[in-house]
Amino acid sequence: MSDWKKRYDSILCTADEAVRAVNNGDRVLIAGVAGRPERLVKALIDNAQSYRDVKIMHGLSNGGEDYCDEKYKDNFIHESLFASKNTRKAIEEGRAKIYPCYYYELGYWFEEGTIPVNVFMFQVTPPDEFGFCSCGLIADFIQEGVDCADIVIAQVNENLPWCSSQECLVHVDRIDYIVEYNDPLPVIERKPIGDVERKIGEYCASLVEDESTLQVGIGSIPDAVCAALKDKKDLGVHTEMISDGLMDLWNAGVITNRKKSNYRGTMVAAFAYGSQKLYDFVDRNPAVTFKDVRSVNGPFKVAKCSKLVCINTCIEVDLMGQVVSSSSGLRQISGAGGQLDFIRGAAIALDGKAKAIVALTSTHEKNGEVTSRIKPFITEGSAVTVTRQDVDYFVTEYGIAHLTGKNLKDRARALIEIAHPDFRPELIADYERRFKSKY
């Protein structure tokens, strides 16, 4: 038996035994999305009465955030890097904290001790013959988490795919406790693409040239964009997250990565999130490379991408072009994520051909009330995610507004022209009050 196998056996334990390493007042950093070790999280909650003021920090998650329940308010404090459905209430009620951040800088924060980490929890594949485990679907700040934490706890999950990217590999020697438990992986069911999303996708696709490098997210609008790109040639991918839409384009031969200037020959991302079909596609696929988030999202890394087109969505935009993507009034919806990382990278792109696109439906419906996403002013209390100087194009189902090089009056007119017709009269009235001139 090799040395790593002896170590593996010596640190193998139950989840309840592993979480005894957590002390009162500790900060527990938990990997996000498919890196999230659900069995370990459950063990923390099961042993809640053993803890007081334990800080639980993570970004995008997919359920199991019971530590946010009010009954655990003395045991756990959630520290959110990216709010999600089950953490918003705790944030609103003051039982959780939200950290404004750029996604790309998190690795630096942990590595340099800006945010000290006592315990890092994540999940990995079983080790290979050399003792290396793969994080499977995520690389973002895995290496920094392992290096900077006082205690490292890994859940070994046979359901994880294998990715051989260096940033995904963690040797058994770097782990303090191992728990074997085969949780199912988090999946997102794809929503059907409606007529509105399809039109938005077509407008976005018209701005994409052959041989462009893409950054897109997840959801019906990104899926619609990908579906509209089927006639393009030799596209590449450098994106925060790989989703099913990009997999479809690779399978269709549209994405080849042959013309990329940065990490040529492979789709590069910080993580993948989507269907089981996507996870099967990623498994041992050399066409996919996961890298640490500073290498993916760092604006100067992004700037090296040739003919970059970054396509993101938002909650609302005002007539100056200020973008709100993570909050609605004082209510925290999500986080900045990597949106501004890529938009800033596009702004300083070396080839001068990059395009930053924000795509959104013209209206939003909630509780039977329909409102315009293009507003005279952003909702009071909302946080601006992207400033008015940053975005090149806004796209709705009513067209494309190109804002670069336009003064405030012309920017406002361009945005009004792609607003829903029902809301244009009030937008025009505000335009005339603000600029003291006829529309």
Side-chain angles (χ1 to χ4, degrees):
M1 181 181 286
S2 65
D3 287 342
W4 75 259
K5 292 182 180 179
K6 290 180 181 178
R7 175 167 176 79
Y8 186 98
D9 290 342
S10 71
I11 61 177
L12 183 62
C13 60
T14 67
D16 288 336
E17 290 170 337
V19 299
R20 289 175 192 162
V22 178
N23 297 308
N24 290 341
D26 276 356
R27 174 174 287 113
V28 180
L29 176 64
I30 299 177
V33 202
R36 183 177 168 90
E38 295 295 352
R39 182 65 191 90
L40 296 177
V41 173
K42 184 176 184 300
L44 280 175
I45 297 167
D46 289 345
N47 292 276
Q49 297 312 311
S50 300
Y51 305 120
R52 190 167 187 87
D53 297 331
V54 169
K55 297 177 282 291
I56 297 181
M57 172 174 277
H58 59 76
L60 180 61
S61 60
N62 42 272
E65 303 92 348
D66 291 350
Y67 41 80
C68 287
D69 194 288
E70 187 174 8
K71 67 183 178 180
Y72 298 120
K73 65 180 180 180
D74 295 328
N75 312 109
F76 303 117
I77 304 166
H78 174 45
E79 297 184 321
S80 178
L81 302 171
F82 193 97
S84 54
K85 179 180 178 181
N86 296 324
T87 64
R88 292 172 192 149
K89 183 178 179 182
I91 294 170
E92 290 171 21
E93 295 179 355
R95 291 180 285 102
K97 303 174 183 178
I98 186 79
Y99 282 68
C101 57
Y102 299 119
Y103 189 19
Y104 82 89
E105 69 183 342
L106 289 176
Y108 296 105
W109 282 10
F110 303 134
E111 189 174 69
E112 296 169 2
T114 304
I115 295 181
V117 177
N118 302 107
V119 180
F120 179 51
M121 294 182 175
F122 66 128
Q123 69 173 353
V124 295
T125 66
D128 66 7
E129 64 268 33
F130 302 107
F132 284 97
C133 303
S134 174
C135 297
L137 292 166
I138 188 167
D140 60 358
F141 47 76
I142 294 293
Q143 299 298 328
E144 292 88 347
V146 171
D147 285 341
C148 74
D150 302 322
I151 298 293
V152 176
I153 307 176
Q155 176 178 329
V156 172
N157 187 344
E158 293 180 356
N159 293 322
L160 273 177
W162 180 277
C163 178
S164 58
S165 306
Q166 187 63 39
E167 290 85 346
C168 279
L169 300 180
V170 177
H171 197 273
V172 169
D173 287 346
R174 300 170 67 197
I175 301 171
D176 297 300
Y177 298 91
I178 283 178
V179 174
E180 295 179 339
Y181 199 87
N182 299 324
D183 276 316
L185 299 180
V187 296
I188 293 182
E189 297 302 324
R190 300 176 76 175
K191 295 180 180 178
I193 299 172
D195 292 339
V196 170
E197 291 83 7
R198 185 172 292 107
K199 193 64 179 175
I200 292 171
E202 291 169 357
Y203 281 127
C204 289
S206 71
L207 297 170
V208 179
E209 301 177 11
D210 292 343
E211 303 180 9
S212 293
T213 300
L214 298 178
Q215 178 258 322
V216 297
I218 194 169
S220 55
I221 289 180
D223 278 352
V225 172
C226 290
L229 291 170
K230 294 291 180 66
D231 62 342
K232 304 296 180 179
K233 295 180 177 61
D234 284 325
L235 298 183
V237 173
H238 184 106
T239 188
E240 176 180 322
M241 173 180 64
I242 289 177
S243 60
D244 286 74
L246 293 174
M247 173 189 67
D248 293 343
L249 286 176
W250 191 89
N251 287 333
V254 176
I255 291 173
T256 65
N257 298 297
R258 288 196 294 256
K259 302 296 183 178
K260 290 175 65 181
S261 57
N262 201 16
Y263 306 120
R264 181 172 292 192
T266 184
M267 288 191 279
V268 170
F271 66 97
Y273 193 23
S275 67
Q276 184 60 49
K277 183 178 178 181
L278 173 67
Y279 302 157
D280 294 340
F281 167 78
V282 166
D283 189 31
R284 302 183 186 275
N285 188 345
V288 177
T289 299
F290 295 115
K291 299 191 73 66
D292 59 279
V293 71
R294 69 178 77 177
S295 296
V296 178
N297 284 40
F300 287 105
K301 294 285 187 180
V302 172
K304 294 180 179 179
C305 296
S306 58
K307 298 175 73 172
L308 173 71
V309 181
C310 55
I311 303 170
N312 293 280
T313 58
C314 72
I315 294 172
E316 65 183 37
V317 57
D318 71 5
L319 289 182
M320 291 193 297
Q322 295 186 116
V323 178
V324 174
S325 302
S326 65
S327 61
S328 180
L330 296 177
R331 185 167 185 251
Q332 191 72 34
I333 303 298
S334 56
Q339 182 174 113
L340 190 56
D341 299 347
F342 277 88
I343 290 174
R344 286 280 169 84
I348 59 174
L350 300 181
D351 65 2
K353 297 181 179 179
K355 297 171 182 173
I357 302 169
V358 171
L360 63 159
T361 57
S362 65
T363 60
H364 172 67
E365 183 176 354
K366 183 178 181 180
N367 299 326
E369 181 184 4
V370 178
T371 57
S372 176
R373 290 193 185 273
I374 298 175
K375 300 177 178 291
F377 303 96
I378 61 174
T379 302
E380 184 179 3
S382 294
V384 173
T385 308
V386 182
T387 71
R388 65 188 188 182
Q389 291 90 343
D390 289 308
V391 180
D392 296 322
Y393 298 89
F394 286 91
V395 176
T396 73
E397 69 271 28
Y398 292 100
I400 301 170
H402 186 198
L403 268 57
T404 302
K406 287 183 167 61
N407 60 50
L408 287 179
K409 290 176 67 174
D410 289 343
R411 293 164 73 92
R413 289 174 64 92
L415 286 165
I416 291 170
E417 287 172 8
I418 64 168
H420 192 285
D422 290 350
F423 293 95
R424 288 179 195 172
E426 66 182 76
L427 291 170
I428 290 171
D430 181 79
Y431 171 94
E432 293 178 346
R433 284 193 300 269
R434 181 184 302 191
F435 295 111
K436 307 297 189 293
S437 63
K438 296 295 289 182
Y439 177 70

